[in-house]
Amino acid sequence: GHWYLEGWCHRAQDVRMFRLDRVESVEVLDAAATVPTDAATTDLSRGFFAPNDSDPSARIRLAPEAAWVADYYPHEGVTDLPDLPGQPAGRARLILRVGDPGWVRRLLWRLGGQARVVSPDWLAREVRAGALDAARAYNDDM
């Protein structure tokens, strides 16, 4: 139900799909496009999102309220976690390929306390730092 544009992402330095209803502005440049000659177009035969084998894996612990993530996003595996005293039943561990760490950070921030990055450590630190920055900004405005 959405339109997408395949294009070169200067931030990612790779071909990406851009959802058109999320484009905030468009600017015609004087310079010609400089897409690298070895840039590959998106092969949609395996679905819209097909992670690369070179993308790192992230292990994410999901609370029961975030179980929908495993149904909604492509992943490499989901494991039910054992019920532990003091922990809610229905927790799971999800393995995602991380093609864009920014996307994973935004997903985890949106999930709030319902999800936590278990590994890799660098991604867990980035998610935590961003959440702390947001909390400080919120508290500073009060």
Side-chain angles (χ1 to χ4, degrees):
H2 298 287
W3 287 71
Y4 289 84
L5 170 72
E6 181 179 64
W8 182 256
C9 178
H10 291 276
R11 184 179 63 199
Q13 291 297 299
D14 202 358
V15 175
R16 292 289 190 262
M17 299 294 281
F18 298 93
R19 200 168 117 176
L20 291 179
D21 65 325
R22 293 187 177 162
V23 173
E24 294 178 4
S25 65
V26 176
E27 181 181 343
V28 177
L29 303 175
D30 292 333
T34 56
V35 177
T37 56
D38 61 345
T41 58
T42 305
D43 176 9
L44 297 177
S45 63
R46 295 182 1 199
F48 188 74
F49 175 74
N52 294 320
D53 292 338
S54 62
D55 292 340
S57 292
R59 285 168 177 68
I60 298 171
R61 188 170 53 230
L62 300 172
E65 299 84 5
W68 62 269
V69 172
D71 296 330
Y72 194 78
Y73 294 106
H75 57 79
E76 294 195 333
V78 62
T79 305
D80 292 332
L81 295 174
D83 295 341
L84 298 174
Q87 297 291 326
R91 297 174 310 125
R93 181 176 301 118
L94 181 73
I95 301 173
L96 290 174
R97 286 284 185 172
V98 181
D100 178 4
W103 174 85
V104 177
R105 286 191 305 265
R106 289 186 299 277
L107 173 65
L108 271 285
W109 294 333
R110 189 174 94 205
L111 293 170
Q114 299 173 358
R116 180 182 205 111
V117 175
V118 176
S119 68
D121 290 337
W122 61 267
L123 184 57
R125 285 190 304 270
E126 287 182 11
V127 169
R128 179 173 161 57
L132 290 172
D133 287 346
R136 276 193 292 274
Y138 178 80
N139 289 328
D140 288 347
D141 286 345
M142 298 308 282

Short mmCIF file of all heavy atoms in Angstrom, two decimals, residues 104-134:
data_model
loop_
_atom_site.label_atom_id
_atom_site.label_comp_id
_atom_site.label_asym_id
_atom_site.label_seq_id
_atom_site.Cartn_x
_atom_site.Cartn_y
_atom_site.Cartn_z
N VAL A 104 17.41 0.14 13.61
CA VAL A 104 17.26 -0.69 14.81
C VAL A 104 17.16 0.19 16.06
O VAL A 104 16.34 -0.06 16.93
CB VAL A 104 18.41 -1.71 14.93
CG1 VAL A 104 18.30 -2.51 16.22
CG2 VAL A 104 18.42 -2.64 13.73
N ARG A 105 17.97 1.24 16.11
CA ARG A 105 17.89 2.16 17.26
C ARG A 105 16.49 2.75 17.37
O ARG A 105 15.90 2.77 18.45
CB ARG A 105 18.93 3.28 17.12
CG ARG A 105 20.35 2.84 17.40
CD ARG A 105 21.28 4.03 17.52
NE ARG A 105 21.25 4.93 16.38
CZ ARG A 105 22.08 4.89 15.35
NH1 ARG A 105 23.04 3.97 15.31
NH2 ARG A 105 21.98 5.75 14.36
N ARG A 106 15.96 3.23 16.25
CA ARG A 106 14.62 3.84 16.28
C ARG A 106 13.55 2.82 16.68
O ARG A 106 12.63 3.15 17.42
CB ARG A 106 14.29 4.47 14.92
CG ARG A 106 15.11 5.73 14.66
CD ARG A 106 14.69 6.44 13.38
NE ARG A 106 14.82 5.64 12.18
CZ ARG A 106 15.95 5.49 11.48
NH1 ARG A 106 17.05 6.11 11.87
NH2 ARG A 106 15.97 4.76 10.38
N LEU A 107 13.67 1.58 16.20
CA LEU A 107 12.72 0.54 16.59
C LEU A 107 12.77 0.31 18.09
O LEU A 107 11.73 0.27 18.76
CB LEU A 107 13.01 -0.76 15.84
CG LEU A 107 12.19 -1.98 16.28
CD1 LEU A 107 10.70 -1.78 15.98
CD2 LEU A 107 12.71 -3.24 15.60
N LEU A 108 13.96 0.18 18.64
CA LEU A 108 14.08 -0.09 20.08
C LEU A 108 13.59 1.09 20.91
O LEU A 108 12.95 0.89 21.95
CB LEU A 108 15.53 -0.43 20.44
CG LEU A 108 15.91 -1.91 20.35
CD1 LEU A 108 15.37 -2.70 21.52
CD2 LEU A 108 15.59 -2.57 19.06
N TRP A 109 13.86 2.31 20.48
CA TRP A 109 13.36 3.48 21.21
C TRP A 109 11.83 3.49 21.19
O TRP A 109 11.20 3.83 22.18
CB TRP A 109 13.91 4.77 20.64
CG TRP A 109 15.40 4.92 20.80
CD1 TRP A 109 16.17 4.37 21.78
CD2 TRP A 109 16.28 5.66 19.97
NE1 TRP A 109 17.48 4.73 21.59
CE2 TRP A 109 17.58 5.52 20.50
CE3 TRP A 109 16.10 6.43 18.83
CZ2 TRP A 109 18.69 6.13 19.92
CZ3 TRP A 109 17.21 7.04 18.25
CH2 TRP A 109 18.49 6.90 18.81
N ARG A 110 11.25 3.13 20.07
CA ARG A 110 9.80 3.10 19.95
C ARG A 110 9.19 2.03 20.87
O ARG A 110 8.11 2.22 21.42
CB ARG A 110 9.42 2.82 18.49
CG ARG A 110 7.93 2.98 18.23
CD ARG A 110 7.64 2.86 16.76
NE ARG A 110 7.29 1.48 16.47
CZ ARG A 110 7.42 0.89 15.31
NH1 ARG A 110 7.92 1.55 14.29
NH2 ARG A 110 7.07 -0.34 15.13
N LEU A 111 9.91 0.94 21.05
CA LEU A 111 9.41 -0.14 21.90
C LEU A 111 9.59 0.16 23.39
O LEU A 111 9.00 -0.53 24.23
CB LEU A 111 10.10 -1.46 21.54
CG LEU A 111 9.76 -2.02 20.17
CD1 LEU A 111 10.68 -3.19 19.84
CD2 LEU A 111 8.31 -2.44 20.10
N GLY A 112 10.41 1.16 23.71
CA GLY A 112 10.61 1.53 25.10
C GLY A 112 11.16 0.36 25.90
O GLY A 112 12.06 -0.33 25.48
N GLY A 113 10.58 0.13 27.07
CA GLY A 113 11.05 -0.93 27.94
C GLY A 113 10.61 -2.32 27.53
O GLY A 113 10.87 -3.28 28.23
N GLN A 114 9.95 -2.44 26.39
CA GLN A 114 9.45 -3.74 25.93
C GLN A 114 10.50 -4.54 25.16
O GLN A 114 10.26 -5.69 24.80
CB GLN A 114 8.21 -3.57 25.07
CG GLN A 114 7.07 -2.92 25.81
CD GLN A 114 5.91 -2.62 24.86
OE1 GLN A 114 5.97 -2.85 23.67
NE2 GLN A 114 4.84 -2.10 25.43
N ALA A 115 11.66 -3.94 24.90
CA ALA A 115 12.72 -4.64 24.16
C ALA A 115 14.08 -4.13 24.63
O ALA A 115 14.20 -2.99 25.07
CB ALA A 115 12.56 -4.41 22.66
N ARG A 116 15.06 -5.01 24.49
CA ARG A 116 16.41 -4.66 24.92
C ARG A 116 17.42 -5.36 24.00
O ARG A 116 17.26 -6.55 23.71
CB ARG A 116 16.61 -5.09 26.36
CG ARG A 116 17.97 -4.79 26.90
CD ARG A 116 18.11 -5.29 28.33
NE ARG A 116 19.12 -4.51 28.97
CZ ARG A 116 18.90 -3.64 29.93
NH1 ARG A 116 17.69 -3.44 30.37
NH2 ARG A 116 19.88 -2.97 30.46
N VAL A 117 18.44 -4.64 23.56
CA VAL A 117 19.50 -5.24 22.76
C VAL A 117 20.40 -6.06 23.69
O VAL A 117 20.94 -5.52 24.66
CB VAL A 117 20.34 -4.18 22.02
CG1 VAL A 117 21.50 -4.84 21.29
CG2 VAL A 117 19.48 -3.39 21.05
N VAL A 118 20.54 -7.33 23.40
CA VAL A 118 21.42 -8.20 24.18
C VAL A 118 22.83 -8.14 23.61
O VAL A 118 23.81 -8.07 24.34
CB VAL A 118 20.88 -9.65 24.18
CG1 VAL A 118 21.82 -10.60 24.89
CG2 VAL A 118 19.48 -9.70 24.79
N SER A 119 22.93 -8.16 22.30
CA SER A 119 24.22 -8.03 21.62
C SER A 119 23.96 -7.56 20.19
O SER A 119 22.85 -7.74 19.68
CB SER A 119 24.97 -9.37 21.61
OG SER A 119 24.30 -10.31 20.79
N PRO A 120 24.90 -6.92 19.56
CA PRO A 120 26.26 -6.64 20.01
C PRO A 120 26.29 -5.48 21.01
O PRO A 120 25.37 -4.66 21.06
CB PRO A 120 26.99 -6.27 18.71
CG PRO A 120 25.93 -5.71 17.83
CD PRO A 120 24.66 -6.46 18.18
N ASP A 121 27.36 -5.43 21.77
CA ASP A 121 27.50 -4.42 22.81
C ASP A 121 27.45 -3.00 22.26
O ASP A 121 26.86 -2.11 22.88
CB ASP A 121 28.80 -4.62 23.60
CG ASP A 121 28.76 -5.86 24.46
OD1 ASP A 121 27.65 -6.31 24.81
OD2 ASP A 121 29.84 -6.39 24.79
N TRP A 122 28.05 -2.77 21.10
CA TRP A 122 28.09 -1.41 20.55
C TRP A 122 26.68 -0.91 20.25
O TRP A 122 26.37 0.26 20.45
CB TRP A 122 28.99 -1.32 19.30
CG TRP A 122 28.55 -2.17 18.15
CD1 TRP A 122 28.97 -3.43 17.85
CD2 TRP A 122 27.60 -1.82 17.13
NE1 TRP A 122 28.34 -3.89 16.72
CE2 TRP A 122 27.50 -2.92 16.25
CE3 TRP A 122 26.84 -0.68 16.87
CZ2 TRP A 122 26.67 -2.92 15.15
CZ3 TRP A 122 26.00 -0.68 15.77
CH2 TRP A 122 25.92 -1.79 14.92
N LEU A 123 25.81 -1.80 19.77
CA LEU A 123 24.44 -1.39 19.47
C LEU A 123 23.66 -1.16 20.76
O LEU A 123 22.89 -0.21 20.86
CB LEU A 123 23.76 -2.44 18.59
CG LEU A 123 22.36 -2.12 18.11
CD1 LEU A 123 22.32 -0.80 17.33
CD2 LEU A 123 21.81 -3.26 17.26
N ALA A 124 23.87 -2.02 21.76
CA ALA A 124 23.20 -1.82 23.05
C ALA A 124 23.59 -0.47 23.65
O ALA A 124 22.75 0.26 24.17
CB ALA A 124 23.57 -2.96 24.00
N ARG A 125 24.87 -0.10 23.55
CA ARG A 125 25.33 1.19 24.08
C ARG A 125 24.69 2.35 23.33
O ARG A 125 24.29 3.35 23.93
CB ARG A 125 26.86 1.28 24.01
CG ARG A 125 27.58 0.47 25.07
CD ARG A 125 29.07 0.78 25.13
NE ARG A 125 29.75 0.60 23.86
CZ ARG A 125 30.31 -0.54 23.46
NH1 ARG A 125 30.26 -1.61 24.22
NH2 ARG A 125 30.91 -0.62 22.30
N GLU A 126 24.59 2.24 21.99
CA GLU A 126 23.98 3.31 21.19
C GLU A 126 22.50 3.49 21.53
O GLU A 126 22.02 4.62 21.65
CB GLU A 126 24.13 3.01 19.69
CG GLU A 126 25.53 3.20 19.17
CD GLU A 126 25.63 2.94 17.68
OE1 GLU A 126 24.58 2.83 17.01
OE2 GLU A 126 26.77 2.86 17.18
N VAL A 127 21.77 2.39 21.69
CA VAL A 127 20.35 2.47 22.02
C VAL A 127 20.19 3.10 23.41
O VAL A 127 19.37 3.99 23.61
CB VAL A 127 19.69 1.07 21.96
CG1 VAL A 127 18.30 1.10 22.56
CG2 VAL A 127 19.64 0.58 20.52
N ARG A 128 21.01 2.66 24.36
CA ARG A 128 20.94 3.20 25.72
C ARG A 128 21.27 4.68 25.74
O ARG A 128 20.56 5.47 26.37
CB ARG A 128 21.89 2.42 26.63
CG ARG A 128 21.92 2.90 28.06
CD ARG A 128 22.76 1.96 28.93
NE ARG A 128 23.23 2.43 30.16
CZ ARG A 128 22.52 2.91 31.17
NH1 ARG A 128 21.24 3.04 31.05
NH2 ARG A 128 23.08 3.29 32.29
N ALA A 129 22.34 5.08 25.04
CA ALA A 129 22.74 6.49 25.03
C ALA A 129 21.64 7.37 24.44
O ALA A 129 21.34 8.44 24.97
CB ALA A 129 24.04 6.66 24.25
N GLY A 130 21.03 6.93 23.37
CA GLY A 130 19.95 7.71 22.75
C GLY A 130 18.74 7.83 23.66
O GLY A 130 18.11 8.89 23.75
N ALA A 131 18.40 6.73 24.35
CA ALA A 131 17.27 6.77 25.28
C ALA A 131 17.56 7.72 26.44
O ALA A 131 16.70 8.49 26.87
CB ALA A 131 16.97 5.36 25.79
N LEU A 132 18.80 7.69 26.96
CA LEU A 132 19.17 8.60 28.05
C LEU A 132 19.14 10.05 27.59
O LEU A 132 18.70 10.94 28.34
CB LEU A 132 20.54 8.23 28.60
CG LEU A 132 20.59 6.92 29.39
CD1 LEU A 132 22.04 6.55 29.71
CD2 LEU A 132 19.75 7.01 30.65
N ASP A 133 19.61 10.32 26.37
CA ASP A 133 19.56 11.68 25.83
C ASP A 133 18.11 12.17 25.74
O ASP A 133 17.82 13.32 26.08
CB ASP A 133 20.20 11.74 24.44
CG ASP A 133 21.71 11.64 24.48
OD1 ASP A 133 22.30 11.80 25.58
OD2 ASP A 133 22.30 11.39 23.41
N ALA A 134 17.22 11.30 25.27
CA ALA A 134 15.81 11.69 25.17
C ALA A 134 15.22 11.96 26.54
O ALA A 134 14.47 12.93 26.73
CB ALA A 134 15.02 10.59 24.45
#
